[in-house]
Amino acid sequence: MAILNVELGERSYPIVVDSGLLSRKDLFQQYVNANEVMVVTDETVAPLYLDNLLNTLSGFNVTCHVLPDGEEHKSLATLAELLDTMVAAPCSRETTLIALGGGVVGDIAGFAASCYQRGINYLQVPTTLLAQVDSAVGGKTAVNHVRGKNLIGAFYQPRCVIADTDTLSTLDSRQLSAGIAEVVKYGCIRDAELFTWLEQNIDKLGQCDRDTVSHTIIECCRNKAELVATDEVEQGDRALLNLGHTFAHAIETVTGYGTWLHGEAVSAGISLAADMSCRLGWLEQKDVERIRALLRRANLPVCAPAEMTVADFMRNMARDKKVVAGRIRLVLLKAIGEATLVSDYPDDVLQTVLESAATY
Amino acid sequence: MAILNVELGERSYPIVVDSGLLSRKDLFQQYVNANEVMVVTDETVAPLYLDNLLNTLSGFNVTCHVLPDGEEHKSLATLAELLDTMVAAPCSRETTLIALGGGVVGDIAGFAASCYQRGINYLQVPTTLLAQVDSAVGGKTAVNHVRGKNLIGAFYQPRCVIADTDTLSTLDSRQLSAGIAEVVKYGCIRDAELFTWLEQNIDKLGQCDRDTVSHTIIECCRNKAELVATDEVEQGDRALLNLGHTFAHAIETVTGYGTWLHGEAVSAGISLAADMSCRLGWLEQKDVERIRALLRRANLPVCAPAEMTVADFMRNMARDKKVVAGRIRLVLLKAIGEATLVSDYPDDVLQTVLESAATY
């Protein structure tokens, strides 16, 4: 069992990674307050793992809420339905919420935990690779607005992240690939060693090889925990975790939430960011190709959708959370393993990148 | 100009109290980040003070949103409309939100500030006595759920509270009385001196006498700032500020939000809490009478609505945020000026209080 800590003073918490954790009653007991538990999951995960978790939670007073599956349901309306269930139960302020599922479940349930009675205890129990390596860690919670991704939410840290690697065995290959996009991201932004290791091990990761997956999750969580510890509410370096995400959010919004998986859009976004970094003279073309080759080997897209215009990108990127003084700030690469936040790029370079975004 | 500080480390902020503050451009400039401002007000306050504020904010890039007036609109649906305006503007993460209005405006707008792009800068500019003495200070934000008051929200501190006492000149007498209920509350829970002073000055306060009002606001804010500084997220003594509120929230929910003003319900709630404190042998009957006499002199109710049954109370109080381990915790009085949080009272005493709640 690997345990990493997110160091945030009195809000510090562990990330526990191992197989079989869903059955570890001792582990859940340690982080559940009082006797009341609210389990939030979705239609896909419920038939697979809900019974297992409920069995582990026997003896607790448990209420369940099953969300519809998919990014298109990550909305205020879906949040309101979850809150209705919590009020009807009624859940008290002592309730511990458990988010069992992928990134969408974690984001909605985490936001619900942050605002129900102005904040209750919650645990992230991620069941997808993307959630285990990235979204379940760090306390970012949100729902989408129809005009922009993750525009409504809170920074609200869980009490613990419990990543049971057994749950990845039921992940379909498209979802697994989506998670790998975020893994490649960590390599690109601050861990050249991880990137090189991925070049050697991506096929085994794509086959969900047990040791490969464990190493991947631990290394990604270590990177994320370090960034979150130094910058909880994204005033600085934490923004580097958004490599590719400004482009990705535009793709997800324009194509309709759920059409592209978040990780797929991030993959295309990383490819665009690499291209722009190269055009600015920072990243060598061969490194752009290394990044794209790695993404392609994971069956991930490296181009934006052909139907997206430059205007589509610009309109949606203008609503991104990283806009400052009217400028879209972008995470770009100085090298593989070194990212930087840039707002003083020439506009025509961004224009050129967006014009050729569908052609890589 | 009086300035009090709410001491919360890096989240510390001033409460500024004076006449004419709405016109003080220097003051607003000091607390507005960047150039973007989102002003949130309501249909009642907009025609009275919005132009004044917009004039003061000339030179800033200002977006306005006018909320419908009244507690019945303090809902997730109203919040969603405000967020739509902010996304459409589009407001960036650098935007400063200004809440111009009473408690309802401050609660909704503050919650919007907490969750828009996971949190933006905001100022409270309270325009009612209730908001100036109580709700604008301390960072409690929320909307109501149809089944319970303030069940969805956040602890999110403003950057500054700007209380322009001139705005009280347009307050109708019912709203003014509602504010006085919260003033009486401070006297009851921790400031016997303020209570005695109120007994001597309540008539002048009811006439909105300038010096009386200023003294009242400053004393209440001093009390609130002290409690908030020691217990930001209500793990302990901050809960004392809820004297009468558990009863009040039940009254507001059962009668329909907006039928009773919040302060009116608090007044009846304080009267019930005083009665219960007396029945437990803590508060003398003559002090119960002093409290009720003071509330009556401010034209406030001291009885619950006749149509409310004990079951109505119990069902709604069970969803209160102060429920712990299935027990409704109540703020009760050991004396005028000394409150305590109690959960081990005999149930039949609460039953008796609720049975006689309409008969004082």
Side-chain angles (χ1 to χ4, degrees):
Chain A
M1 187 160 79
I3 302 181
L4 293 133
N5 275 294
V6 184
E7 301 292 349
L8 288 167
E10 63 186 12
R11 290 186 302 290
S12 295
Y13 57 92
I15 306 162
V16 187
V17 183
D18 203 357
S19 64
L21 295 182
L22 273 186
S23 304
R24 288 282 299 276
K25 184 159 191 161
D26 58 324
L27 188 64
F28 283 90
Q29 274 177 326
Q30 198 176 340
Y31 298 104
V32 169
N33 295 340
N35 190 47
E36 290 177 58
V37 177
M38 174 79 219
V39 175
V40 182
T41 186
D42 71 19
E43 290 166 342
T44 303
V45 176
L48 296 168
Y49 300 110
L50 183 56
D51 281 352
N52 188 345
L53 180 60
L54 292 180
N55 194 44
T56 303
L57 295 171
S58 66
F60 289 97
N61 176 10
V62 181
T63 306
C64 292
H65 186 91
V66 179
L67 300 168
D69 188 15
E71 188 77 39
E72 65 273 30
H73 299 293
K74 206 176 97 175
S75 63
L76 267 184
T78 303
L79 174 76
E81 289 172 12
L82 167 55
L83 293 169
D84 286 346
T85 299
M86 296 174 72
V87 174
C91 294
S92 84
R93 201 191 260 183
E94 290 186 301
T95 299
T96 296
L97 185 151
I98 298 180
L100 174 73
V104 171
V105 170
D107 281 4
I108 300 177
F111 188 31
S114 83
C115 69
Y116 186 71
Q117 302 209 8
R118 300 198 186 95
I120 60 172
N121 185 46
Y122 82 113
L123 315 184
Q124 288 282 10
V125 183
T127 61
T128 65
L129 182 63
L130 188 140
Q132 293 189 354
V133 299
D134 193 53
S135 65
V137 177
K140 274 195 180 178
T141 74
V143 295
N144 300 326
H145 187 275
V146 66
R147 298 169 81 160
K149 273 272 291 189
N150 295 339
L151 288 185
I152 304 160
F155 289 100
Y156 193 68
Q157 301 296 341
R159 178 84 181 285
C160 182
V161 179
I162 297 173
D164 184 339
T165 52
D166 290 347
T167 60
L168 303 183
S169 65
T170 49
L171 205 58
D172 71 36
S173 61
R174 194 178 159 198
Q175 292 279 356
L176 187 69
S177 291
I180 294 176
E182 299 281 8
V183 177
V184 172
K185 176 190 79 177
Y186 287 105
C188 289
I189 63 171
R190 69 192 306 267
D191 195 339
E193 192 179 326
L194 175 63
F195 191 93
T196 305
W197 180 87
L198 280 171
E199 290 183 312
Q200 293 152 7
N201 293 279
I202 193 114
D203 299 333
K204 281 198 283 181
L205 183 57
Q207 291 148 18
C208 223
D209 170 74
R210 186 183 172 119
D211 291 343
T212 309
V213 165
S214 290
H215 179 79
T216 299
I217 295 168
I218 291 164
E219 287 307 301
C220 291
C221 286
R222 184 182 56 72
N223 273 289
K224 183 138 190 190
E226 287 171 11
L227 280 170
V228 170
T230 56
D231 180 22
E232 183 177 6
V233 296
E234 198 166 305
Q235 302 292 307
D237 276 358
R238 182 171 180 162
L240 301 181
L241 288 165
N242 293 308
L243 174 68
H245 282 60
T246 300
F247 299 114
H249 289 170
I251 292 171
E252 293 180 80
T253 305
V254 170
T255 57
Y257 299 128
T259 308
W260 284 50
L261 293 179
H262 174 63
E264 292 168 342
V266 166
S267 175
I270 292 173
S271 169
L272 267 66
D275 182 43
M276 184 151 169
S277 306
C278 181
R279 288 177 196 271
L280 290 169
W282 297 345
L283 194 66
E284 292 184 46
Q285 185 63 41
K286 74 171 173 48
D287 285 334
V288 178
E289 293 309 326
R290 280 177 72 196
I291 293 169
R292 288 197 183 131
L294 195 55
L295 294 169
R296 284 199 187 97
R297 284 171 64 193
N299 300 312
L300 285 162
V302 297
C303 298
E307 68 272 22
M308 264 185 84
T309 64
V310 172
D312 286 337
F313 269 108
M314 292 304 292
R315 190 176 54 250
N316 282 283
M317 289 164 69
R319 272 192 280 272
D320 189 81
K321 291 188 291 299
K322 285 181 295 304
V323 169
V324 172
R327 292 288 296 173
I328 301 163
R329 291 191 303 164
L330 292 169
V331 182
L332 298 175
L333 298 175
K334 294 281 189 179
I336 287 175
E338 187 190 350
T340 185
L341 196 59
V342 187
S343 54
D344 62 345
Y345 49 80
D347 288 338
D348 63 328
V349 175
L350 177 57
Q351 175 86 16
T352 306
V353 168
L354 295 177
E355 282 168 0
S356 43
T359 65
Y360 302 126
Chain B
M1 188 160 80
I3 301 181
L4 293 133
N5 275 295
V6 184
E7 302 292 348
L8 288 167
E10 60 186 13
R11 290 187 304 288
S12 295
Y13 57 92
I15 307 162
V16 187
V17 183
D18 203 358
S19 64
L21 295 182
L22 273 186
S23 305
R24 289 282 299 275
K25 184 160 191 161
D26 58 325
L27 188 63
F28 283 90
Q29 274 177 326
Q30 198 177 339
Y31 299 104
V32 169
N33 294 341
N35 190 46
E36 291 176 58
V37 177
M38 175 79 218
V39 175
V40 182
T41 186
D42 72 17
E43 290 166 343
T44 303
V45 176
L48 296 168
Y49 299 111
L50 183 56
D51 281 352
N52 188 345
L53 180 60
L54 292 180
N55 192 45
T56 303
L57 295 171
S58 66
F60 289 97
N61 176 10
V62 181
T63 305
C64 292
H65 186 90
V66 179
L67 300 169
D69 188 16
E71 188 77 38
E72 64 273 31
H73 298 292
K74 206 176 96 174
S75 63
L76 267 185
T78 303
L79 174 76
E81 289 172 14
L82 167 55
L83 293 169
D84 286 346
T85 299
M86 296 175 73
V87 174
C91 293
S92 83
R93 202 191 260 184
E94 290 187 301
T95 299
T96 296
L97 185 151
I98 298 179
L100 174 73
V104 171
V105 170
D107 280 4
I108 300 176
F111 187 33
S114 83
C115 69
Y116 186 71
Q117 302 210 7
R118 299 197 186 94
I120 60 172
N121 185 45
Y122 83 113
L123 316 185
Q124 289 281 11
V125 184
T127 61
T128 64
L129 182 64
L130 188 140
Q132 294 188 354
V133 299
D134 193 54
S135 66
V137 176
K140 274 195 181 178
T141 74
V143 295
N144 299 326
H145 187 276
V146 65
R147 297 169 82 161
K149 273 271 292 190
N150 294 337
L151 288 185
I152 304 162
F155 289 100
Y156 193 69
Q157 302 295 341
R159 179 84 181 286
C160 183
V161 179
I162 298 173
D164 184 339
T165 51
D166 289 348
T167 59
L168 302 184
S169 66
T170 49
L171 205 58
D172 71 36
S173 61
R174 194 179 160 197
Q175 291 280 355
L176 187 69
S177 290
I180 294 174
E182 298 282 9
V183 177
V184 172
K185 176 190 77 177
Y186 288 104
C188 289
I189 63 171
R190 71 194 302 269
D191 196 338
E193 193 179 325
L194 174 63
F195 191 93
T196 305
W197 180 87
L198 279 171
E199 291 183 311
Q200 292 152 7
N201 292 279
I202 192 112
D203 299 333
K204 281 198 283 180
L205 182 57
Q207 291 149 18
C208 223
D209 170 72
R210 187 184 172 120
D211 290 343
T212 309
V213 164
S214 289
H215 179 78
T216 299
I217 296 168
I218 291 164
E219 287 306 303
C220 291
C221 286
R222 183 181 56 72
N223 273 290
K224 182 137 191 192
E226 287 171 10
L227 280 170
V228 170
T230 55
D231 180 20
E232 183 177 6
V233 296
E234 198 167 306
Q235 302 293 307
D237 276 357
R238 182 172 180 162
L240 302 181
L241 288 164
N242 294 307
L243 175 68
H245 282 60
T246 300
F247 300 114
H249 290 170
I251 292 171
E252 292 181 79
T253 306
V254 169
T255 56
Y257 298 129
T259 308
W260 283 50
L261 293 179
H262 174 62
E264 292 168 342
V266 166
S267 175
I270 291 173
S271 169
L272 266 65
D275 182 42
M276 184 151 170
S277 306
C278 180
R279 288 177 196 270
L280 289 168
W282 298 344
L283 195 66
E284 292 184 44
Q285 184 64 39
K286 73 171 173 51
D287 285 334
V288 177
E289 293 309 325
R290 279 176 71 195
I291 293 169
R292 289 199 182 129
L294 194 55
L295 295 168
R296 285 199 187 97
R297 283 172 65 193
N299 300 312
L300 285 163
V302 296
C303 297
E307 68 271 24
M308 264 185 84
T309 64
V310 173
D312 286 336
F313 269 108
M314 292 305 291
R315 190 175 54 250
N316 283 282
M317 290 164 68
R319 273 192 280 273
D320 189 82
K321 291 188 290 301
K322 286 182 295 305
V323 169
V324 171
R327 292 289 296 172
I328 301 164
R329 292 191 302 163
L330 292 169
V331 183
L332 297 175
L333 298 175
K334 294 281 189 178
I336 287 176
E338 187 190 349
T340 185
L341 197 60
V342 188
S343 55
D344 62 345
Y345 49 81
D347 288 339
D348 63 328
V349 175
L350 176 58
Q351 176 85 16
T352 306
V353 169
L354 295 177
E355 282 168 0
S356 43
T359 64
Y360 301 127

